[in-house]
Amino acid sequence: MAAISNEILIVGGGPSGLLLAHELLRRRIPVRIIEKRPGPSHTSRAMTIHARSMEMFDHMGLANRLEEVCLECPGNIYHFPQLSEDKCPRTDYRPLPTRYPFYYKTSQNDFELALRELMLSKYSIAPEYQTELVALKQHAQVATATIRHPDGTTAATEYPWVVGCDGVHSFVRNAAGIKFEGDTVAVMSMADLELKSVNFDDRWMNYYFNEDLFMNCTKMPGKLWRVYMSEPTGNYVFAKDQNKAYQEVADKLGIGFEVGRMYWQTAWNVRNHIAETYRAGRMLICGDSSHVHSPSGGQGMNGCMQDAFNLGWKLAAVYKKQASETILDSYEHERKPIGKQISEGAMSTHEIVMGFGIPPEDRLHLTREPGWEWRTVNLVSGLSHNYRSVSNLPKNLTPVPGPQAGDRAPDALLIQEPKRRIYDVFRRPQFSLIVAPGTATTDVVDIGATVRDEMDRLFPGQVSTYLIINADSTDPRFDFDHQSLDELDEFTQRYEIGSEGRLVLVRPDLYIGMACLPGEWEEIVQYMKQWFLAPQETGESRETNRKMSSL
């Protein structure tokens, strides 16, 4: 007979699994993470952390630690053979409207270590290595997982939910019967190695290519370089002597460096696949288990972690019975289109640098399409990802300017010294309701205080209400932790707060839930009911509604 556990089982201890575990643990959900690898990885694999992910890590309290194990990269240079370097196309991330106008280069092993240290320090939780899922079935309201332990013994346990963060060959996805269709689009090798006689700007990601060869080179933290190599035949990619293969490809591309000691190297088939669905009953899939694509642009790990960031707060609410299981459908509805965008964006860059058989001069036009650089930078950084098309809003809302429902919530500096940002306000595992009175201070603050009380009553613990005011004074209805002056007017400008004021609801994953005029406050209650179960209204709450309607 199977044992019974109240934990959520996460299969896979990579970035997606670790991040999902963190999001559940910070909401006091018990988790178990199993990983069949013998121990923590010592190889770098994925290497880029983009702006939207850094905003997420700032929210989690990990950004400062990551800055210590990363190098800033301003962007990519595409070295077309017929162009001098100053004429080569670039994707420059420095103009991005974020605190992180660049992307970080880091070794995945160092990055995963930082995530594990965060979980150990906060929750005393770590992945269980040499622990493998060998059977998985579901029935009624549980999934039964048979797990092989390090000593070779197996045991069956019933879990309320099982999430597969176990990669492209996902056991969970296969057990759930979820199709994973797509194509192999290239073969690729990558290595961490020493280089000599480097003559390109090592801050940037440098793409070199001709009709038949591709190589990508950049400096990593420490003494090593990351180099990717691809070609259509596999003769170089799968050559026995990889030092020789890398040197020959570099020489043929005219890069000019000398390959030194190789510390780590791997080769693989580059796939472009996406899962048919992200959930089957009590089984969910996340990260590479649900979509995988060309590494061009370095979006893979970032998109996978954003999947986990989206899923975590929803699964926590369902586990606590604060929400219906139906909100888990929104995980796929929101993230699958993003997975497709990532795949399409990766393939568009792939066509430029690995469009083998097509002369590079015939690919150059792809970089000269109007808006190509800005569109690419916003997409790859994750800042342009949004849920606008799948946002479910109350009908008859008055349109308001500023970030729309489903858009990324932008950061803004509220107070110069000591610094306080709007992202500091959002750094909590809840929805954030921002009350911004504009110049209509008294009436809007009255509404804000009563809406706060209504949120606390209907959705206890799910909404934190915060007052941002232009006047240099405090309001006694909001305590020190729940109000701030918009000293620089930056929040007012970025959120386009009009003189009539605004209510802005921000989701736990830093996307706009909805924004409305203060007089339409009741629509926020209706919006929240799509996420959380609210108790039946009492006579007292109807009286509150009557009073609010008169404001």
Side-chain angles (χ1 to χ4, degrees):
M1 185 174 179
I4 299 174
S5 174
N6 68 339
E7 298 164 315
I8 290 178
L9 178 64
I10 298 173
V11 184
S16 300
L18 293 172
L19 199 136
L20 177 61
H22 183 277
E23 288 304 287
L24 292 169
L25 288 165
R26 71 197 291 236
R27 293 172 172 87
R28 301 181 181 180
I29 307 299
V31 303
R32 181 185 184 188
I33 316 166
I34 63 171
E35 171 57 65
K36 67 180 181 179
R37 290 178 294 165
S41 176
H42 64 280
T43 56
S44 59
R45 294 166 292 151
M47 58 161 292
T48 54
I49 303 178
H50 283 290
R52 186 56 172 163
S53 294
M54 284 306 300
E55 291 180 344
M56 173 181 70
F57 290 128
D58 175 72
H59 176 78
M60 292 167 54
L62 185 60
N64 289 342
R65 174 63 182 133
L66 291 180
E67 290 169 358
E68 297 174 339
V69 298
C70 296
L71 285 179
E72 286 187 22
C73 182
N76 306 331
I77 304 176
Y78 302 84
H79 295 267
F80 279 81
Q82 71 273 32
L83 299 179
S84 60
E85 183 171 317
D86 62 322
K87 300 294 185 182
C88 287
R90 298 183 181 220
T91 45
D92 190 339
Y93 289 70
R94 290 173 295 188
L96 283 172
T98 172
R99 287 181 66 191
Y100 306 98
F102 47 80
Y103 62 81
Y104 270 138
K105 300 181 290 185
T106 187
S107 296
Q108 185 175 333
N109 50 318
D110 292 330
F111 166 67
E112 288 184 4
L113 175 60
L115 274 174
R116 288 194 299 272
E117 288 173 341
L118 180 70
M119 284 208 310
L120 277 169
S121 67
K122 285 188 172 182
Y123 312 112
S124 299
I125 293 288
E128 299 174 38
Y129 291 99
Q130 301 179 60
T131 305
E132 182 177 4
L133 179 67
V134 295
L136 181 62
K137 296 180 180 180
Q138 63 177 325
H139 51 88
Q141 298 301 306
V142 297
T144 302
T146 302
I147 296 171
R148 181 185 295 124
H149 300 104
D151 63 1
T153 61
T154 60
T157 305
E158 293 181 352
Y159 293 94
W161 298 94
V162 176
V163 185
C165 300
D166 48 346
V168 64
H169 302 294
S170 171
F171 189 101
V172 175
R173 186 188 64 237
N174 293 333
I178 298 173
K179 293 181 180 179
F180 194 55
E181 297 179 344
D183 302 300
T184 296
V185 296
V187 292
M188 182 167 282
S189 172
M190 64 179 174
D192 288 342
L193 40 74
E194 294 179 353
L195 294 179
K196 300 177 183 178
S197 305
V198 173
N199 57 17
F200 53 79
D201 189 337
D202 62 17
R203 297 173 304 149
W204 293 73
M205 191 77 71
N206 291 271
Y207 290 88
Y208 292 90
F209 47 93
N210 60 23
E211 189 167 339
D212 302 306
L213 299 171
F214 162 80
M215 189 164 267
N216 182 12
C217 323
T218 194
K219 182 72 171 58
M220 296 291 284
K223 65 180 180 180
L224 300 183
W225 299 73
R226 166 61 61 86
V227 181
Y228 292 83
M229 175 179 66
S230 183
E231 37 81 27
T233 68
N235 292 337
Y236 286 112
V237 168
F238 298 110
K240 290 184 178 180
D241 189 342
Q242 283 293 297
N243 278 74
K244 180 181 178 182
Y246 273 69
Q247 188 65 67
E248 287 188 11
V249 170
D251 291 344
K252 287 187 176 184
L253 290 171
I255 303 176
F257 59 62
E258 179 183 342
V259 175
R261 179 183 173 188
M262 189 172 288
Y263 287 75
W264 173 77
Q265 181 271 336
T266 189
W268 75 101
N269 293 319
V270 177
R271 301 168 181 261
N272 190 42
H273 289 238
I274 193 162
E276 182 179 43
T277 184
Y278 285 12
R279 177 191 171 203
R282 292 278 158 163
M283 305 177 193
L284 298 108
I285 55 175
C286 185
D288 282 344
S289 303
S290 55
H291 55 85
V292 66
H293 47 80
S294 171
S296 299
Q299 301 174 76
M301 181 172 69
N302 295 267
C304 292
M305 293 187 297
Q306 291 289 336
D307 291 345
F309 198 45
N310 181 290
L311 175 60
W313 66 271
K314 298 171 182 176
L315 187 54
V318 172
Y319 180 94
K320 292 179 177 179
K321 302 189 185 316
Q322 295 168 335
S324 164
E325 289 184 22
T326 58
I327 76 163
L328 295 177
D329 296 336
S330 71
Y331 162 58
E332 178 181 326
H333 294 159
E334 292 177 347
R335 293 307 301 174
K336 189 171 182 178
I338 300 298
K340 290 179 178 178
Q341 285 182 40
I342 291 173
S343 295
E344 292 167 1
M347 286 307 298
S348 66
T349 301
H350 183 97
E351 290 171 4
I352 294 169
V353 298
M354 286 184 276
F356 299 132
I358 303 173
E361 55 269 23
D362 291 342
R363 305 180 219 161
L364 183 59
H365 74 92
L366 296 172
T367 70
R368 292 180 172 171
E369 294 176 355
W372 167 77
E373 180 183 9
W374 190 238
R375 184 172 61 251
T376 300
V377 165
N378 273 276
L379 177 64
V380 175
S381 69
L383 297 193
S384 67
H385 293 164
N386 66 78
Y387 306 137
R388 280 192 182 193
S389 64
V390 291
S391 291
N392 183 22
L393 292 175
K395 296 180 180 179
N396 303 318
L397 274 180
T398 303
V400 294
Q404 299 298 298
D407 284 350
R408 159 188 171 263
D411 197 6
L413 186 62
L414 297 174
I415 298 177
Q416 179 67 46
E417 191 174 316
K419 277 188 169 55
R420 184 159 185 80
R421 297 178 177 273
I422 191 64
Y423 269 25
D424 297 324
V425 174
F426 299 156
R427 197 177 289 120
R428 51 194 82 199
Q430 303 162 298
F431 278 76
S432 296
L433 175 59
I434 303 301
V435 179
T439 56
T441 304
T442 303
D443 289 348
V444 177
V445 177
D446 289 343
I447 290 173
T450 311
V451 173
R452 174 199 59 200
D453 296 342
E454 190 75 348
M455 290 289 123
D456 290 346
R457 188 187 66 79
L458 286 174
F459 311 105
Q462 300 298 341
V463 184
S464 175
T465 304
Y466 198 93
L467 175 67
I468 297 180
I469 200 162
N470 295 100
D472 191 8
S473 61
T474 59
D475 191 289
R477 287 165 291 184
F478 290 82
D479 64 30
F480 182 78
D481 289 353
H482 292 86
Q483 68 175 302
S484 175
L485 173 67
D486 185 17
E487 184 179 67
L488 306 177
D489 210 35
E490 196 168 278
F491 169 81
T492 298
Q493 293 177 20
R494 291 186 180 177
Y495 283 75
E496 300 185 46
I497 307 299
S499 59
E500 71 284 1
R502 194 86 76 247
L503 301 178
V504 181
L505 187 68
V506 177
R507 297 173 15 159
D509 51 3
L510 302 179
Y511 284 88
I512 301 293
M514 65 170 283
C516 67
L517 297 173
E520 296 177 331
W521 63 271
E522 291 174 296
E523 304 301 338
I524 294 179
V525 174
Q526 296 306 312
Y527 171 86
M528 288 296 295
K529 286 180 179 178
Q530 72 182 282
W531 298 113
F532 299 107
L533 301 172
Q536 293 295 317
E537 283 198 342
T538 63
E540 178 185 356
S541 69
R542 286 195 294 270
E543 178 63 16
T544 299
N545 290 346
R546 187 192 64 77
K547 291 179 179 178
M548 287 293 294
S549 297
S550 66
L551 291 176

